[in-house]
């Protein structure tokens, strides 16, 4: 029977999956309560824990759990008081451990308990005022630290987010005290610093620079003010307690004890860099939960009040949070929210906003991919068309989309289509074939098709676009190796062919790496030189490992030393990457995999990869292909992942060393105690302990000491590797930013005589006049992406130089990726900010470069 009441609790408040209306909540609650009463004596402790767990992990159903606890409170006050006291302890613990989600949900929970007459309204007011007081203290220059405003904002956000769930009851029962809280919130809003998050905007427009744009807290406060003017009526929050009000009013309300917030972190320095680092740390600990992505026009999206939109967004985010890793359960609860209206458009916008959230989504992008797939299956008549509309809307604005978000969208879309037989109305996008090769929409379609081929095979994807044969031009070449020394009867045999064939024979003959290295040193290098030797060896080994990814790994493991011997410096490593690129010129995926694996085996350094990516041939591809950026992302990511892994290993080893020292000391102490026990035999002191036991204790002490020494040596080795890794990461960061600065400085249009920074979008005359070749012919180019004029690089029917348009797009892409790296590795940048300021961003650096490099990590730069 215990499984029965648990299932009833989990399903309480669910809606019909196909939006068929709400269940009878009153009847469901009465049934649940009846079962709980029958099982109370046998399962009291289990019910206590399970109710708390349900409120914690199904927060969109808190009103229903609150009513159940309120009904139990009528019969057993101690049970309800225990719930209240445990909730207080959990909230206090969450505040001091900075558990953001638990703080927010527990505040909502006590509001739900208050609605069901379990908690006194004045206790809620005291809790709100404690949070407001702490928030105001944080912003105080003398007693707090304004750099930690994100924590203060979070406290106020938690109060505001709980008002739709309990504001009506607070307004009715303690109006004066409630008004005092609202006045306190207004005072806080007036003294806090406005947060401009344009650096984290999905769409790179000038809208974020508007002084009238509200940030997330200001927007939420405005929604709550509208709610207040409407009498605190919220459609999206169920009110099951109203059906039981006559019963619940007879219950005893319990006091929720006062809470204490952790003291503000006092700044240790007035340095701007230190303040910036503190603000960055605060942003990491208290990130903004949602950045709204308005995909659909107002005539398509559901018509709901601003606060209802906020509540449904919160419920969707809560389900995504607590059911990550359980995709089917997540989809079930997403389509079963207890609200009286449809919300699939809002659900799509919210999920896409999380998928494209900058700098990182809360969970791996694959999670959102799977949830969207399951939602399409759960709501086959509604959600697939919403997803199609979202893709079209995002595609129309792709030229203004942040480069990191564009990459995520490509990866998501290709994976999504692979789960639906690659079916898509490609004929609607066939026009992109006639756009310039650098046009964002054309590049998007090209990259999606390339990623689809990775997930399937060439002929399958070619068949999927048979209704838009024009797009076949955008397909990559059919994957296959391009072996330079392939033996053909009609092809003239050269030294390279002969040596390659001989090397294949040695590999098949299981010759050792030493034998092959000696053969290379004696037969190839003296006659043809080291570069020719690298050419033959690399091409041949790549061909041997070309059958599969596993074959490639095997070749690199067995014969990596040969390549390492031929590539002792960066110059030779650059040639090695040229060889990889030439061999796999028809497979972007294999180029990226081969270079990534070679870096993993330390055949290629991360610095060499950066230099190769920024070589002229690759720089020219920055705006027309993701290939160089994929390789660069892999290299930088692998570098910092190594450091992260080393830090985890060192932390584990330090704990192990402490345990080993304690074990060694204990073993030595036991041995000494055994030796200290003596007795007199024939007038001579001798150990009284059994010699066999002494030997065992000695062996145990020796083994423990050996374990301590081994662990200490391992720790020292890992710390040395970490120090080396940190130095490598510093050099990588220096080279990466230096390379960005150099290529951008060469191509960015200069600042005007009046000091105006050129606008690379929407046909800025400064850009055109600065970069145009006076003799270049002009041509008519239609509005490139078919969207509104604000989202295009070139206005419709505007005469421009083709080269100017391409230059604009190259600069926008490169600046976009610079900003992406800045956001992604902001913590590492802060560690070396002084070095970057003194060595890289010195002199007359173009303002657009500085803005892209620093906008993602701090506001004062």
């Amino acid at each position: 029977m215990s499984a029965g009441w648990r299932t009833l609790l989990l399903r309480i408040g669910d809606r019909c999956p196909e939006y068929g209306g709400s269940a009878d909540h009153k009847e469901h609650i009465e049934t649940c309560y009846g079962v709980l009463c029958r099982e109370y004596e046998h399962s009291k402790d289990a019910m206590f824990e399970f109710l708390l767990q349900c409120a914690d992990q199904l927060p969109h159903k808190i009103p229903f759990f609150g009513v159940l606890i309120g009904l139990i409170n009528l019969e057993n006050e101690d049970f309800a008081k225990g719930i209240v006291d445990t909730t207080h302890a959990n909230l206090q613990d969450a505040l001091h451990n900075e558990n953001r989600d638990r703080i927010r949900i527990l505040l909502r929970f006590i509001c739900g308990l208050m609605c069901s007459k379990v908690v006194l309204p004045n206790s809620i007011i005291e809790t709100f005022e404690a949070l407001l007081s702490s928030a105001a203290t944080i912003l105080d220059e003398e007693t707090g630290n304004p750099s930690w405003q994100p924590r203060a904002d979070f406290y106020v956000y938690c109060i505001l987010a709980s008002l739709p769930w309990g504001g009506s009851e607070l307004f009715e029962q303690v109006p004066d005290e409630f008004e005092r809280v609202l006045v306190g919130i207004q005072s806080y809003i007036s003294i806090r610093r406005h947060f401009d998050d344009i650096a984290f905007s999905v769409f790179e427009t000038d809208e974020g620079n508007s002084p009238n744009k509200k940030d997330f807290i200001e927007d939420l406060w405005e929604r709550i003010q509208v709610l207040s003017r409407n009498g605190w009526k919220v459609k999206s929050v169920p009110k099951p307690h109203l059906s039981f009000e006559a019963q619940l009013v007879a219950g005893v309300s319990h006091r929720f004890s006062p809470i204490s917030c952790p003291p503000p972190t006092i700044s240790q320095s007035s340095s701007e860099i230190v303040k910036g680092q503190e603000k960055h740390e605060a942003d990491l600990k208290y990130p903004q939960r949602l950045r709204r992505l308005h995909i659909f026009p107002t005539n398509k999206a559901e018509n709901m009040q601003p606060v209802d939109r906020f509540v449904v967004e919160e419920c969707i985010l809560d389900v995504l949070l607590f059911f990550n890793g359980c995709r089917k359960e997540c989809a079930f609860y997403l389509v079963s929210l207890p609200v009286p209206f449809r919300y699939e458009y809002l659900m799509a916008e919210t999920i896409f906003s999380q998928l494209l959230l900058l700098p990182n989504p809360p969970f791996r992008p694959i999670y959102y991919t799977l949830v969207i797939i399951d939602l399409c299956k759960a709501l086959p008549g509604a959600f697939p068309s919403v997803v199609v509309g979202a893709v079209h809307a995002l595609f129309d604005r792709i030229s203004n989309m942040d480069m990191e978000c564009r990459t995520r969208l490509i990866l998501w879309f290709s994976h999504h289509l692979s789960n639906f037989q690659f079916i898509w109305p490609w004929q609607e996008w066939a026009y992109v074939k006639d756009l310039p090769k650098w046009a964002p929409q054309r590049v998007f379609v090209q990259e999606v098709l390339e990623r689809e081929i990775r997930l399937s095979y060439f002929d399958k994807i070619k068949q999927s676009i048979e209704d838009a044969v024009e797009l076949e031009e955008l397909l990559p070449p059919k994957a296959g190796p391009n072996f330079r020394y392939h033996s053909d009867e009609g092809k003239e045999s050269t030294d390279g062919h002969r040596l390659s064939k001989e090397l294949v024979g040695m590999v098949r003959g299981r010759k050792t790496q030493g034998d092959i290295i000696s053969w290379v040193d004696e037969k190839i290098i003296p006659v043809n030189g080291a570069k020719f030797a690298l050419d033959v060896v690399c091409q041949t080994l790549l061909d041997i490992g070309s059958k599969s990814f596993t074959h490639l790994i095997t070749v690199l493991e067995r014969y990596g030393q040969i390549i390492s011997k031929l590539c002792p410096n960066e110059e030779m490593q650059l040639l090695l990457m040229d060889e990889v690129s030439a061999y796999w010129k028809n497979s972007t995926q294999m180029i990226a995999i081969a270079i990534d694996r070679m870096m993993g085996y330390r055949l290629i350094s991360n610095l060499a990869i950066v230099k190769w990516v920024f070589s002229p041939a690759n720089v020219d591809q920055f705006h027309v292909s993701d290939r160089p950026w994929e390789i660069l992302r892999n290299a930088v990511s692998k570098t910092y992942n190594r450091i992260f892994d080393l830090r985890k290993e060192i932390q584990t080893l330090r704990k192990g060393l402490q345990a080993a020292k304690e074990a060694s000391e204990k073993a030595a102490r036991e041995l000494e105690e055994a030796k200290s026990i003596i007795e007199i035999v024939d007038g001579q002191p001798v150990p009284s302990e059994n010699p066999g036991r002494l030997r065992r204790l000695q062996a145990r002490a020796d083994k423990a000491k050996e374990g301590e020494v081994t662990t200490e040596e391992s720790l020292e080795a890992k710390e040395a590797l970490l120090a080396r890794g940190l130095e490598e990461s510093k050099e990588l960061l220096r080279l990466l930013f230096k390379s960005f600065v150099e290529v951008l400085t060469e191509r960015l249009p200069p600042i005007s005589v009046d000091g105006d920074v050129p606008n690379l979008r929407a046909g800025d005359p400064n850009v055109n006049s600065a970069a145009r070749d006076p003799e270049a012919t002009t041509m008519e180019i239609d509005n490139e992406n078919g969207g509104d004029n604000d989202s295009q690089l070139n206005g419709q029917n505007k005469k421009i130089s083709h080269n100017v348009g391409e230059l604009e797009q190259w600069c926008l892409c490169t600046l976009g990726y610079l900003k992406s790296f800045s956001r992604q590795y902001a913590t590492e940048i802060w560690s070396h900010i002084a070095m970057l300021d003194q060595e890289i961003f010195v002199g007359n650096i173009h303002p657009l470069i500085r803005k892209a490099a620093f906008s993602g990590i701090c506001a004062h730069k």
Side-chain angles (χ1 to χ4, degrees), residues 569-595:
N569 52 48
E570 285 184 359
E571 180 186 358
M572 296 302 290
Q573 291 173 15
L574 292 174
L575 291 175
L576 172 60
M577 285 181 278
D578 285 338
E579 293 296 336
V580 172
S581 180
Y583 182 84
W584 285 114
K585 71 175 186 178
N586 294 330
S587 177
T588 299
Q589 181 183 21
M590 287 306 300
I591 294 174
I593 289 175
I595 291 177

Side-chain angles (χ1 to χ4, degrees), residues 414-642:
S414 57
H415 191 177
H416 180 79
L417 291 181
S418 73
N419 283 271
F420 294 95
Q421 300 178 349
F422 299 101
I423 296 173
W424 184 255
W426 291 108
Q427 63 275 14
E428 296 179 15
W429 290 352
Y431 68 90
V432 303
K433 193 270 292 186
D434 298 323
L435 298 178
K437 288 186 177 180
W438 42 265
Q441 286 190 333
R442 178 184 170 118
V443 174
F444 177 84
V445 173
Q446 170 187 300
E447 292 297 324
V448 167
L449 293 173
E450 195 272 331
R451 291 284 176 171
E452 285 187 338
I453 290 174
R454 295 191 190 190
L455 297 169
S456 182
Y457 55 96
F458 183 89
D459 292 334
K460 172 70 174 177
I461 303 308
K462 185 177 179 181
Q463 182 184 359
S464 72
I465 59 172
E466 60 186 5
D467 291 338
V469 291
E470 303 95 326
L471 295 180
E472 288 185 12
E473 183 181 320
L474 275 61
L475 289 171
K478 197 165 185 177
N482 180 40
F483 186 34
R484 191 172 296 149
Y485 302 109
H486 185 69
S487 56
D488 263 338
E489 292 183 3
K491 196 170 184 180
E492 182 181 353
S493 180
T494 63
D495 284 349
H497 287 82
R498 178 180 56 79
L499 292 169
S500 175
K501 188 175 181 180
E502 191 173 343
L503 177 56
V504 170
M506 295 179 74
V507 170
R508 288 177 178 169
R510 301 284 182 174
K511 295 291 185 182
T512 65
Q513 291 191 78
D515 292 338
I516 297 176
I517 289 173
S518 299
W519 173 76
V520 171
D521 289 340
E522 295 171 5
K523 296 290 185 68
I524 306 180
I525 294 178
V527 179
N528 303 100
K531 292 182 179 179
F532 181 79
L534 176 62
D535 178 21
V536 171
V537 171
C538 180
Q539 285 272 326
T540 305
L541 291 180
L542 285 174
D543 195 59
I544 294 171
S546 65
K547 290 183 180 180
S548 68
F549 175 69
T550 307
H551 281 75
L552 174 64
I553 299 300
T554 302
V555 166
L556 293 178
E557 286 179 349
R558 288 182 181 174
Y559 304 106
Q561 288 183 18
I562 304 169
I563 298 175
S564 179
K565 179 76 165 49
L566 290 169
C567 301
N569 52 48
E570 285 184 359
E571 180 186 358
M572 296 302 290
Q573 291 173 15
L574 292 174
L575 291 175
L576 172 60
M577 285 181 278
D578 285 338
E579 293 296 336
V580 172
S581 180
Y583 182 84
W584 285 114
K585 71 175 186 178
N586 294 330
S587 177
T588 299
Q589 181 183 21
M590 287 306 300
I591 294 174
I593 289 175
I595 291 177
D596 181 70
R597 290 293 85 203
M598 287 180 175
M599 178 182 168
Y601 290 118
R602 295 194 175 274
L603 307 179
I604 300 175
S605 71
N606 50 15
L607 299 181
I609 293 175
V610 173
K611 290 181 179 179
W612 185 76
V613 168
F614 282 92
S615 63
N618 287 316
V619 166
D620 290 340
Q621 300 294 310
F622 277 5
H623 58 317
V624 296
S625 172
D626 187 54
R627 188 196 73 172
W629 299 116
E630 180 183 5
I631 294 168
L632 186 61
R633 283 194 301 268
N634 290 344
V636 179
S637 174
K638 188 178 286 289
T639 299
Y640 287 107
N641 284 343
R642 281 176 182 168

Side-chain angles (χ1 to χ4, degrees), residues 805-816:
E806 185 169 7
L807 175 65
E808 286 179 348
Q809 186 58 34
W810 186 95
C811 292
L812 286 168
C813 284
T814 308
L815 286 169

Side-chain angles (χ1 to χ4, degrees), residues 38 74 81 97 100 106 151 319 351 393 398 445 506 516 585 627 657 771:
R38 288 194 299 271
L74 298 174
K81 188 176 188 307
N97 291 327
R100 303 184 311 276
L106 289 174
R151 178 196 281 178
V319 173
I351 294 173
I398 201 73
V445 173
M506 295 179 74
I516 297 176
K585 71 175 186 178
R627 188 196 73 172
L657 179 61

